[in-house]
Amino acid sequence: MIKIDSITKTFASQTVLDSVNLEIEDGQKVLIIGQNGAGKSTLMKAILGELICDTGTITINGIDPTKDRKKALEFLSFVPQTPPPLKLRVDELCEYSIKSSGSNLSDIKAYLKDLELDYDKEAKKPFYKLSGGMKQKVLIAIALARKSNTIMFDEPTANLDPEARDRFLELLNAKFKDKTIIFISHRISEVKGIVTKVVEMDLGKIVNERRIENE
Ligand SMILES: Nc1ncnc2c1ncn2[C@@H]1O[C@H](COP(=O)(O)OP(=O)(O)OP(=O)(O)O)[C@@H](O)[C@H]1O
């Protein structure tokens, strides 16, 4: 369970997170929505322990990510909005994740296959030379293969074509029903059919929270 209790963060004179309270139960599929600059990515950074808030607390299964980041990150996988320009080859990147997280190559390959990317064909290419959509697929497969119980995606479908987006959602629905999943997206339609709760942010505040029934 993720518990966010009254967090506030101010940069210079701008309050980008303003007394944010949120509880995410195990297995929930949460969409965080809001306009550019609403504070969505900043909230994710706070959950990941990358950002220390001015006030308030966050716990991931009881662990404060700013105090024991290593332990908190065992529970979390994250796919960023912008893939980093890594010079590592795809196989080296996968190897690095396998070593640091205890995942395995056959899972990564299987998820890439589900996303219609042939690992063997791309393995020797430097990551930065892949197309935007291919990079996103590699990062998604690596994140899914980690054994964490929560997966966070910042705009996961931004670089995916409609067919790849459908495959990504099918994969989550088929194999990740038990995981806690947090999406940031501008459109509910991008993650339709999977989300169980929508959290709307505006100017650093949560302005609306609603549950969604998926048939
Ligand atoms: N390190 C920082 N220093 C100063 N201001 C920052 C920093 N990080 C974020 N901000 C500001 O905080 C506000 C919220 O940014 P954030 O990236 O969280 O928004 P967002 O909701 O994710 O937006 P988008 O939909 O455009 O990705 C913005 O006004 C941004 O300029």
Side-chain angles (χ1 to χ4, degrees), residues 26-65:
D26 290 343
Q28 241 177 5
K29 314 286 180 283
V30 179
L31 168 66
I32 301 175
I33 201 163
Q35 291 182 343
N36 295 129
K40 308 178 296 295
S41 299
T42 307
L43 179 61
M44 272 219 185
K45 282 184 190 149
I47 295 172
L48 287 162
E50 275 176 31
L51 184 93
I52 297 180
C53 292
D54 305 328
T55 58
T57 54
I58 297 182
T59 53
I60 322 290
N61 297 333
I63 308 292
D64 180 337

mmCIF file of all heavy atoms in Angstrom, residues 26-65:
data_model
loop_
_atom_site.group_PDB
_atom_site.id
_atom_site.type_symbol
_atom_site.label_atom_id
_atom_site.label_comp_id
_atom_site.label_asym_id
_atom_site.label_seq_id
_atom_site.Cartn_x
_atom_site.Cartn_y
_atom_site.Cartn_z
ATOM 1 N N ASP A 26 -3.250 -2.070 -2.553
ATOM 2 C CA ASP A 26 -2.608 -3.107 -3.364
ATOM 3 C C ASP A 26 -3.562 -3.558 -4.472
ATOM 4 O O ASP A 26 -4.745 -3.789 -4.223
ATOM 5 C CB ASP A 26 -2.215 -4.303 -2.491
ATOM 6 C CG ASP A 26 -1.069 -3.957 -1.554
ATOM 7 O OD1 ASP A 26 -0.393 -2.940 -1.798
ATOM 8 O OD2 ASP A 26 -0.861 -4.687 -0.578
ATOM 9 N N GLY A 27 -3.037 -3.680 -5.662
ATOM 10 C CA GLY A 27 -3.822 -4.178 -6.796
ATOM 11 C C GLY A 27 -4.620 -3.106 -7.521
ATOM 12 O O GLY A 27 -5.202 -3.390 -8.579
ATOM 13 N N GLN A 28 -4.639 -1.889 -6.955
ATOM 14 C CA GLN A 28 -5.401 -0.830 -7.627
ATOM 15 C C GLN A 28 -4.698 -0.387 -8.912
ATOM 16 O O GLN A 28 -3.472 -0.448 -9.006
ATOM 17 C CB GLN A 28 -5.539 0.381 -6.687
ATOM 18 C CG GLN A 28 -6.976 0.681 -6.375
ATOM 19 C CD GLN A 28 -7.147 1.823 -5.385
ATOM 20 O OE1 GLN A 28 -6.204 2.482 -4.969
ATOM 21 N NE2 GLN A 28 -8.384 2.041 -5.008
ATOM 22 N N LYS A 29 -5.488 0.056 -9.879
ATOM 23 C CA LYS A 29 -4.933 0.586 -11.132
ATOM 24 C C LYS A 29 -5.351 2.055 -11.183
ATOM 25 O O LYS A 29 -6.525 2.363 -11.404
ATOM 26 C CB LYS A 29 -5.517 -0.152 -12.350
ATOM 27 C CG LYS A 29 -5.546 -1.683 -12.243
ATOM 28 C CD LYS A 29 -4.181 -2.308 -12.401
ATOM 29 C CE LYS A 29 -4.239 -3.827 -12.286
ATOM 30 N NZ LYS A 29 -4.363 -4.342 -10.926
ATOM 31 N N VAL A 30 -4.386 2.915 -10.915
ATOM 32 C CA VAL A 30 -4.707 4.332 -10.712
ATOM 33 C C VAL A 30 -4.197 5.170 -11.872
ATOM 34 O O VAL A 30 -3.050 5.015 -12.307
ATOM 35 C CB VAL A 30 -4.046 4.839 -9.401
ATOM 36 C CG1 VAL A 30 -4.347 6.310 -9.165
ATOM 37 C CG2 VAL A 30 -4.528 4.008 -8.222
ATOM 38 N N LEU A 31 -5.043 6.027 -12.356
ATOM 39 C CA LEU A 31 -4.635 6.991 -13.380
ATOM 40 C C LEU A 31 -4.536 8.365 -12.730
ATOM 41 O O LEU A 31 -5.498 8.824 -12.098
ATOM 42 C CB LEU A 31 -5.671 7.026 -14.512
ATOM 43 C CG LEU A 31 -5.532 8.188 -15.502
ATOM 44 C CD1 LEU A 31 -4.238 8.081 -16.299
ATOM 45 C CD2 LEU A 31 -6.729 8.212 -16.449
ATOM 46 N N ILE A 32 -3.374 9.007 -12.866
ATOM 47 C CA ILE A 32 -3.220 10.389 -12.394
ATOM 48 C C ILE A 32 -3.285 11.281 -13.632
ATOM 49 O O ILE A 32 -2.507 11.129 -14.575
ATOM 50 C CB ILE A 32 -1.902 10.579 -11.626
ATOM 51 C CG1 ILE A 32 -1.875 9.626 -10.416
ATOM 52 C CG2 ILE A 32 -1.757 12.020 -11.156
ATOM 53 C CD1 ILE A 32 -0.579 9.620 -9.647
ATOM 54 N N ILE A 33 -4.262 12.154 -13.604
ATOM 55 C CA ILE A 33 -4.558 12.956 -14.782
ATOM 56 C C ILE A 33 -4.473 14.433 -14.405
ATOM 57 O O ILE A 33 -4.608 14.776 -13.227
ATOM 58 C CB ILE A 33 -5.968 12.547 -15.294
ATOM 59 C CG1 ILE A 33 -6.164 12.902 -16.738
ATOM 60 C CG2 ILE A 33 -7.095 13.077 -14.436
ATOM 61 C CD1 ILE A 33 -7.337 12.170 -17.364
ATOM 62 N N GLY A 34 -4.232 15.284 -15.381
ATOM 63 C CA GLY A 34 -4.189 16.724 -15.091
ATOM 64 C C GLY A 34 -3.421 17.448 -16.175
ATOM 65 O O GLY A 34 -2.666 16.841 -16.928
ATOM 66 N N GLN A 35 -3.590 18.753 -16.207
ATOM 67 C CA GLN A 35 -2.971 19.556 -17.260
ATOM 68 C C GLN A 35 -1.450 19.596 -17.106
ATOM 69 O O GLN A 35 -0.925 19.252 -16.051
ATOM 70 C CB GLN A 35 -3.503 20.988 -17.178
ATOM 71 C CG GLN A 35 -4.966 21.062 -17.563
ATOM 72 C CD GLN A 35 -5.492 22.482 -17.544
ATOM 73 O OE1 GLN A 35 -4.877 23.358 -16.961
ATOM 74 N NE2 GLN A 35 -6.620 22.683 -18.173
ATOM 75 N N ASN A 36 -0.761 20.065 -18.158
ATOM 76 C CA ASN A 36 0.691 20.259 -18.080
ATOM 77 C C ASN A 36 1.006 21.120 -16.859
ATOM 78 O O ASN A 36 0.356 22.133 -16.629
ATOM 79 C CB ASN A 36 1.212 20.987 -19.336
ATOM 80 C CG ASN A 36 1.050 20.162 -20.608
ATOM 81 O OD1 ASN A 36 0.531 20.628 -21.595
ATOM 82 N ND2 ASN A 36 1.480 18.919 -20.568
ATOM 83 N N GLY A 37 1.985 20.656 -16.092
ATOM 84 C CA GLY A 37 2.408 21.445 -14.937
ATOM 85 C C GLY A 37 1.567 21.240 -13.691
ATOM 86 O O GLY A 37 1.787 21.901 -12.678
ATOM 87 N N ALA A 38 0.621 20.301 -13.732
ATOM 88 C CA ALA A 38 -0.273 20.087 -12.579
ATOM 89 C C ALA A 38 0.466 19.498 -11.370
ATOM 90 O O ALA A 38 0.011 19.611 -10.236
ATOM 91 C CB ALA A 38 -1.429 19.173 -12.968
ATOM 92 N N GLY A 39 1.600 18.822 -11.636
ATOM 93 C CA GLY A 39 2.370 18.237 -10.530
ATOM 94 C C GLY A 39 2.427 16.714 -10.560
ATOM 95 O O GLY A 39 2.934 16.082 -9.621
ATOM 96 N N LYS A 40 1.969 16.107 -11.659
ATOM 97 C CA LYS A 40 1.871 14.643 -11.748
ATOM 98 C C LYS A 40 3.254 13.976 -11.661
ATOM 99 O O LYS A 40 3.459 13.057 -10.875
ATOM 100 C CB LYS A 40 1.165 14.233 -13.059
ATOM 101 C CG LYS A 40 -0.172 14.920 -13.280
ATOM 102 C CD LYS A 40 -0.820 14.530 -14.582
ATOM 103 C CE LYS A 40 -0.093 14.918 -15.849
ATOM 104 N NZ LYS A 40 0.021 16.377 -16.102
ATOM 105 N N SER A 41 4.186 14.444 -12.504
ATOM 106 C CA SER A 41 5.521 13.821 -12.502
ATOM 107 C C SER A 41 6.238 14.096 -11.190
ATOM 108 O O SER A 41 6.985 13.243 -10.692
ATOM 109 C CB SER A 41 6.372 14.351 -13.663
ATOM 110 O OG SER A 41 5.749 14.046 -14.882
ATOM 111 N N THR A 42 6.015 15.276 -10.619
ATOM 112 C CA THR A 42 6.637 15.603 -9.333
ATOM 113 C C THR A 42 6.134 14.646 -8.250
ATOM 114 O O THR A 42 6.907 14.168 -7.413
ATOM 115 C CB THR A 42 6.339 17.074 -8.952
ATOM 116 O OG1 THR A 42 6.720 17.903 -10.049
ATOM 117 C CG2 THR A 42 7.104 17.499 -7.719
ATOM 118 N N LEU A 43 4.846 14.327 -8.303
ATOM 119 C CA LEU A 43 4.285 13.374 -7.332
ATOM 120 C C LEU A 43 4.952 12.003 -7.498
ATOM 121 O O LEU A 43 5.311 11.348 -6.517
ATOM 122 C CB LEU A 43 2.757 13.278 -7.520
ATOM 123 C CG LEU A 43 2.032 12.307 -6.600
ATOM 124 C CD1 LEU A 43 2.208 12.695 -5.138
ATOM 125 C CD2 LEU A 43 0.539 12.237 -6.941
ATOM 126 N N MET A 44 5.148 11.579 -8.756
ATOM 127 C CA MET A 44 5.819 10.282 -8.984
ATOM 128 C C MET A 44 7.243 10.305 -8.441
ATOM 129 O O MET A 44 7.711 9.336 -7.852
ATOM 130 C CB MET A 44 5.841 9.947 -10.469
ATOM 131 C CG MET A 44 4.608 9.223 -10.901
ATOM 132 S SD MET A 44 4.971 7.926 -12.103
ATOM 133 C CE MET A 44 3.313 7.415 -12.500
ATOM 134 N N LYS A 45 7.942 11.430 -8.670
ATOM 135 C CA LYS A 45 9.322 11.547 -8.164
ATOM 136 C C LYS A 45 9.343 11.447 -6.647
ATOM 137 O O LYS A 45 10.263 10.863 -6.067
ATOM 138 C CB LYS A 45 9.941 12.875 -8.604
ATOM 139 C CG LYS A 45 10.386 12.856 -10.042
ATOM 140 C CD LYS A 45 11.073 14.140 -10.417
ATOM 141 C CE LYS A 45 11.281 14.181 -11.928
ATOM 142 N NZ LYS A 45 11.254 15.523 -12.461
ATOM 143 N N ALA A 46 8.324 12.020 -6.008
ATOM 144 C CA ALA A 46 8.260 11.951 -4.539
ATOM 145 C C ALA A 46 8.032 10.504 -4.099
ATOM 146 O O ALA A 46 8.663 10.033 -3.150
ATOM 147 C CB ALA A 46 7.144 12.865 -4.026
ATOM 148 N N ILE A 47 7.164 9.778 -4.810
ATOM 149 C CA ILE A 47 6.910 8.365 -4.457
ATOM 150 C C ILE A 47 8.200 7.557 -4.613
ATOM 151 O O ILE A 47 8.516 6.685 -3.803
ATOM 152 C CB ILE A 47 5.771 7.775 -5.335
ATOM 153 C CG1 ILE A 47 4.442 8.474 -5.040
ATOM 154 C CG2 ILE A 47 5.646 6.265 -5.125
ATOM 155 C CD1 ILE A 47 3.301 8.097 -5.977
ATOM 156 N N LEU A 48 8.972 7.875 -5.658
ATOM 157 C CA LEU A 48 10.221 7.150 -5.923
ATOM 158 C C LEU A 48 11.358 7.563 -4.981
ATOM 159 O O LEU A 48 12.447 7.004 -5.050
ATOM 160 C CB LEU A 48 10.664 7.397 -7.373
ATOM 161 C CG LEU A 48 9.840 6.694 -8.448
ATOM 162 C CD1 LEU A 48 10.080 7.340 -9.807
ATOM 163 C CD2 LEU A 48 10.164 5.201 -8.511
ATOM 164 N N GLY A 49 11.111 8.581 -4.153
ATOM 165 C CA GLY A 49 12.141 9.042 -3.218
ATOM 166 C C GLY A 49 13.214 9.878 -3.889
ATOM 167 O O GLY A 49 14.266 10.143 -3.316
ATOM 168 N N GLU A 50 12.934 10.314 -5.149
ATOM 169 C CA GLU A 50 13.907 11.160 -5.863
ATOM 170 C C GLU A 50 13.832 12.595 -5.374
ATOM 171 O O GLU A 50 14.711 13.397 -5.654
ATOM 172 C CB GLU A 50 13.555 11.192 -7.364
ATOM 173 C CG GLU A 50 14.105 10.055 -8.146
ATOM 174 C CD GLU A 50 13.649 10.104 -9.598
ATOM 175 O OE1 GLU A 50 13.422 11.183 -10.153
ATOM 176 O OE2 GLU A 50 13.493 9.014 -10.171
ATOM 177 N N LEU A 51 12.723 12.905 -4.725
ATOM 178 C CA LEU A 51 12.453 14.279 -4.338
ATOM 179 C C LEU A 51 12.080 14.303 -2.864
ATOM 180 O O LEU A 51 11.257 13.507 -2.427
ATOM 181 C CB LEU A 51 11.245 14.736 -5.169
ATOM 182 C CG LEU A 51 10.796 16.149 -5.047
ATOM 183 C CD1 LEU A 51 11.492 16.952 -6.150
ATOM 184 C CD2 LEU A 51 9.298 16.234 -5.265
ATOM 185 N N ILE A 52 12.705 15.184 -2.122
ATOM 186 C CA ILE A 52 12.359 15.293 -0.702
ATOM 187 C C ILE A 52 11.357 16.426 -0.532
ATOM 188 O O ILE A 52 11.613 17.561 -0.966
ATOM 189 C CB ILE A 52 13.626 15.499 0.150
ATOM 190 C CG1 ILE A 52 14.510 14.251 -0.019
ATOM 191 C CG2 ILE A 52 13.280 15.721 1.620
ATOM 192 C CD1 ILE A 52 15.791 14.251 0.741
ATOM 193 N N CYS A 53 10.206 16.088 0.031
ATOM 194 C CA CYS A 53 9.161 17.104 0.179
ATOM 195 C C CYS A 53 9.454 17.994 1.379
ATOM 196 O O CYS A 53 10.209 17.620 2.283
ATOM 197 C CB CYS A 53 7.802 16.421 0.323
ATOM 198 S SG CYS A 53 7.326 15.604 -1.201
ATOM 199 N N ASP A 54 8.851 19.190 1.375
ATOM 200 C CA ASP A 54 9.072 20.143 2.480
ATOM 201 C C ASP A 54 8.332 19.665 3.731
ATOM 202 O O ASP A 54 8.850 19.793 4.846
ATOM 203 C CB ASP A 54 8.567 21.535 2.088
ATOM 204 C CG ASP A 54 9.201 22.015 0.795
ATOM 205 O OD1 ASP A 54 10.365 21.637 0.548
ATOM 206 O OD2 ASP A 54 8.535 22.722 0.017
ATOM 207 N N THR A 55 7.126 19.164 3.528
ATOM 208 C CA THR A 55 6.359 18.632 4.662
ATOM 209 C C THR A 55 5.623 17.370 4.219
ATOM 210 O O THR A 55 5.476 17.114 3.027
ATOM 211 C CB THR A 55 5.291 19.639 5.169
ATOM 212 O OG1 THR A 55 4.423 19.937 4.078
ATOM 213 C CG2 THR A 55 5.908 20.921 5.684
ATOM 214 N N GLY A 56 5.139 16.614 5.186
ATOM 215 C CA GLY A 56 4.348 15.418 4.890
ATOM 216 C C GLY A 56 5.196 14.168 4.780
ATOM 217 O O GLY A 56 6.436 14.230 4.842
ATOM 218 N N THR A 57 4.537 13.025 4.650
ATOM 219 C CA THR A 57 5.256 11.747 4.563
ATOM 220 C C THR A 57 4.674 10.855 3.461
ATOM 221 O O THR A 57 3.490 10.976 3.109
ATOM 222 C CB THR A 57 5.156 10.943 5.890
ATOM 223 O OG1 THR A 57 3.772 10.817 6.219
ATOM 224 C CG2 THR A 57 5.924 11.583 7.011
ATOM 225 N N ILE A 58 5.541 9.989 2.962
ATOM 226 C CA ILE A 58 5.109 8.959 1.999
ATOM 227 C C ILE A 58 5.629 7.633 2.526
ATOM 228 O O ILE A 58 6.782 7.553 2.973
ATOM 229 C CB ILE A 58 5.699 9.216 0.600
ATOM 230 C CG1 ILE A 58 5.180 10.552 0.056
ATOM 231 C CG2 ILE A 58 5.341 8.078 -0.368
ATOM 232 C CD1 ILE A 58 5.653 10.882 -1.340
ATOM 233 N N THR A 59 4.795 6.605 2.485
ATOM 234 C CA THR A 59 5.311 5.263 2.789
ATOM 235 C C THR A 59 4.860 4.291 1.698
ATOM 236 O O THR A 59 3.737 4.367 1.192
ATOM 237 C CB THR A 59 4.831 4.731 4.162
ATOM 238 O OG1 THR A 59 3.408 4.810 4.220
ATOM 239 C CG2 THR A 59 5.449 5.487 5.310
ATOM 240 N N ILE A 60 5.787 3.404 1.351
ATOM 241 C CA ILE A 60 5.515 2.333 0.389
ATOM 242 C C ILE A 60 5.588 1.044 1.204
ATOM 243 O O ILE A 60 6.683 0.687 1.653
ATOM 244 C CB ILE A 60 6.593 2.260 -0.725
ATOM 245 C CG1 ILE A 60 7.084 3.647 -1.170
ATOM 246 C CG2 ILE A 60 6.176 1.369 -1.869
ATOM 247 C CD1 ILE A 60 6.130 4.480 -1.923
ATOM 248 N N ASN A 61 4.474 0.397 1.401
ATOM 249 C CA ASN A 61 4.429 -0.776 2.285
ATOM 250 C C ASN A 61 5.152 -0.493 3.609
ATOM 251 O O ASN A 61 5.942 -1.317 4.083
ATOM 252 C CB ASN A 61 5.032 -2.011 1.603
ATOM 253 C CG ASN A 61 4.239 -2.410 0.377
ATOM 254 O OD1 ASN A 61 3.043 -2.138 0.295
ATOM 255 N ND2 ASN A 61 4.891 -3.027 -0.585
ATOM 256 N N GLY A 62 4.910 0.673 4.143
ATOM 257 C CA GLY A 62 5.474 1.039 5.439
ATOM 258 C C GLY A 62 6.874 1.644 5.381
ATOM 259 O O GLY A 62 7.392 2.089 6.393
ATOM 260 N N ILE A 63 7.499 1.640 4.181
ATOM 261 C CA ILE A 63 8.868 2.157 4.057
ATOM 262 C C ILE A 63 8.839 3.590 3.513
ATOM 263 O O ILE A 63 8.191 3.861 2.498
ATOM 264 C CB ILE A 63 9.703 1.282 3.082
ATOM 265 C CG1 ILE A 63 9.631 -0.205 3.449
ATOM 266 C CG2 ILE A 63 11.145 1.786 2.984
ATOM 267 C CD1 ILE A 63 10.309 -0.588 4.725
ATOM 268 N N ASP A 64 9.572 4.477 4.170
ATOM 269 C CA ASP A 64 9.694 5.858 3.689
ATOM 270 C C ASP A 64 10.797 5.890 2.625
ATOM 271 O O ASP A 64 11.969 5.628 2.937
ATOM 272 C CB ASP A 64 10.052 6.762 4.881
ATOM 273 C CG ASP A 64 10.203 8.227 4.465
ATOM 274 O OD1 ASP A 64 10.463 8.498 3.286
ATOM 275 O OD2 ASP A 64 10.069 9.090 5.358
ATOM 276 N N PRO A 65 10.446 6.196 1.350
ATOM 277 C CA PRO A 65 11.460 6.125 0.279
ATOM 278 C C PRO A 65 12.590 7.131 0.425
ATOM 279 O O PRO A 65 13.648 6.966 -0.179
ATOM 280 C CB PRO A 65 10.656 6.387 -1.003
ATOM 281 C CG PRO A 65 9.429 7.089 -0.555
ATOM 282 C CD PRO A 65 9.145 6.626 0.834
#
